[in-house]
Amino acid sequence: MNPTPVSPWEWGLFGVLVVAMILVDQLAHHTKHGESKKAAYAWSVAWICVGLAFGVFVWMRHGVTAAHEYLGAYLIEKSLSLDNLFVFLVIFASLRIPEDKQRGVLFWGIFGALVFRAIFILLGLEAIEHWHWVVYIFGGILLVAAWRVARKHPGEESDNKLVLWLEKRLPVTTEFKGTSFFKHVGGRWQATPLLIALIAIELSDVAFAIDSVPAALSVSRNLFVVYTSNVFAILGLRALYIALAKTVHELRYLHWGLAVVLAFAGLKMILAEWLEVPPLLSVGIIVVCIGLSVWASLHARKREARRAALRDDRSRGGRREEVHA
């Protein structure tokens, strides 16, 4: 049950804002400039600013505690969304989908994610309200997810098992027809690789929701706070993918940070009756875990680049000595 009443106009404002941003985003991505990496970074920043600005609105309407809960849920979903990018990369690589055809699939995939998150969040809140013991199941799910994420190394998968399963069971053509999901081949309609990618992304998001929704509910039980924070975190995912598609695999330690966040959320849920963790402390823990994992990844990359440059210098120096000799 929501701790403070949410007016219908607040839901209406949220809906209008989301629809307006989606329309603007779609129009921008119809141009070549909108599809550039530079524009993708700008859109990522824009989506983050909109999400944080809505957090200010939550603070003004529902108080500082609700704002802290919103920020915590937003950061959890945004952090876990980075893990989604690895899956998207593998799906598109498995189907050999060109970059210029990926954006439409991402748009419909994210649109479907908004629907699935609404369903999962509503079901999760209803289950917790009627059966308190469900929180222990959710906590256990998060601990298992933490163990699974910790064991996974970015970039280790070259094929997506779900894609392989779908290709064996659906009539699929390897040819593309623009950005269409179907193509008429040999007198019958067949699915293009874009449809397989869309189905795989939607089913993958259902699996992600099983982890991310309990994680968000570990921060807040406020429907308005949890759903709006999830939506604003998800909506920027397409721009974030375009911006980081070439470099996200270099965040080699990110999975450790995500694992710690999931484990923290699971323990917080299980121990809630005996140990209360303030929302602001949750925000701090999430920021530190993800921030340290990203910093460690970038630091390791720079260190390896320096070592490689040093080896090249030594190698060139050795060749020059041989020539002089």
Side-chain angles (χ1 to χ4, degrees):
M1 184 176 296
N2 294 338
T4 55
V6 178
S7 302
W9 72 264
E10 293 180 69
W11 283 108
L13 175 64
F14 164 69
V16 169
L17 182 60
V18 169
V19 171
M21 288 296 292
I22 290 175
L23 290 176
V24 172
D25 181 65
Q26 278 293 95
L27 291 174
H29 281 79
H30 276 302
T31 65
K32 185 177 181 180
H33 174 71
E35 295 178 350
S36 69
K37 192 170 183 179
K38 183 178 179 181
Y41 277 115
W43 272 105
S44 296
V45 172
W47 277 115
I48 291 173
C49 290
V50 171
L52 295 179
F54 197 84
V56 174
F57 171 78
V58 171
W59 169 59
M60 295 173 62
R61 288 289 302 170
H62 301 279
V64 66
T65 299
H68 290 164
E69 292 178 350
Y70 173 92
L71 183 58
Y74 176 85
L75 290 174
I76 283 181
E77 182 58 40
K78 201 69 175 177
S79 302
L80 295 178
S81 293
L82 294 175
D83 200 37
N84 293 18
L85 300 186
F86 295 115
V87 177
F88 294 168
L89 284 170
V90 174
I91 289 174
F92 288 135
S94 299
L95 293 165
R96 297 178 177 83
I97 297 178
E99 290 185 16
D100 62 335
K101 299 182 186 300
Q102 296 176 7
R103 294 168 179 83
V105 176
L106 287 171
F107 170 78
W108 289 110
I110 292 170
F111 182 81
L114 302 182
V115 176
F116 286 124
R117 294 305 166 90
I119 295 172
F120 274 74
I121 290 171
L122 285 170
L123 291 176
L125 287 172
E126 284 295 315
I128 291 175
E129 185 175 345
H130 288 86
W131 307 289
H132 176 71
W133 49 265
V134 172
V135 299
Y136 302 115
I137 295 179
F138 285 170
I141 290 173
L142 291 172
L143 292 178
V144 172
W147 172 251
R148 188 180 68 248
V149 171
R151 295 181 60 191
K152 180 176 64 176
H153 191 278
E156 67 180 2
E157 294 183 63
S158 58
D159 293 303
N160 184 275
K161 295 180 181 179
L162 184 55
V163 167
L164 299 175
W165 187 86
L166 290 170
E167 285 183 316
K168 291 179 181 179
R169 287 160 177 80
L170 294 177
V172 183
T173 176
T174 57
E175 301 175 1
F176 293 94
K177 184 183 179 182
T179 57
S180 299
F181 293 114
F182 296 94
K183 184 177 182 180
H184 202 255
V185 180
R188 63 172 185 164
W189 289 100
Q190 291 187 335
T192 67
L194 298 181
L195 181 63
I196 302 300
L198 177 60
I199 296 174
I201 286 176
E202 294 289 11
L203 293 178
S204 297
D205 186 73
V206 172
F208 281 124
I210 295 175
D211 298 338
S212 64
V213 169
L217 294 179
S218 72
V219 177
S220 175
R221 307 288 168 80
N222 186 318
L223 173 61
F224 185 71
V225 166
V226 174
Y227 186 62
T228 56
S229 60
N230 265 245
V231 167
F232 281 115
I234 292 172
L235 281 176
L237 191 56
R238 179 170 74 162
L240 191 63
Y241 173 82
I242 297 171
L244 300 180
K246 299 288 179 58
T247 58
V248 69
H249 66 280
E250 296 175 355
L251 301 177
R252 66 182 71 181
Y253 301 126
L254 176 63
H255 64 295
W256 290 111
L258 295 176
V260 174
V261 169
L262 287 169
F264 164 72
L267 292 174
K268 183 175 183 293
M269 221 166 195
I270 293 172
L271 302 175
E273 291 188 21
W274 304 277
L275 179 64
E276 181 179 356
V277 180
L280 187 58
L281 179 58
S282 298
V283 171
I285 291 173
I286 296 166
V287 170
V288 169
C289 291
I290 301 302
L292 284 177
S293 64
V294 172
W295 175 84
S297 300
L298 297 178
H299 184 70
R301 178 188 171 193
K302 291 180 180 178
R303 185 173 62 249
E304 289 185 355
R306 286 196 298 267
R307 289 176 178 175
L310 183 60
R311 285 196 299 269
D312 290 341
D313 290 341
R314 290 175 177 174
S315 177
R316 286 194 293 267
R319 286 197 295 268
R320 283 195 296 267
E321 291 178 1
E322 291 178 0
V323 171
H324 291 308

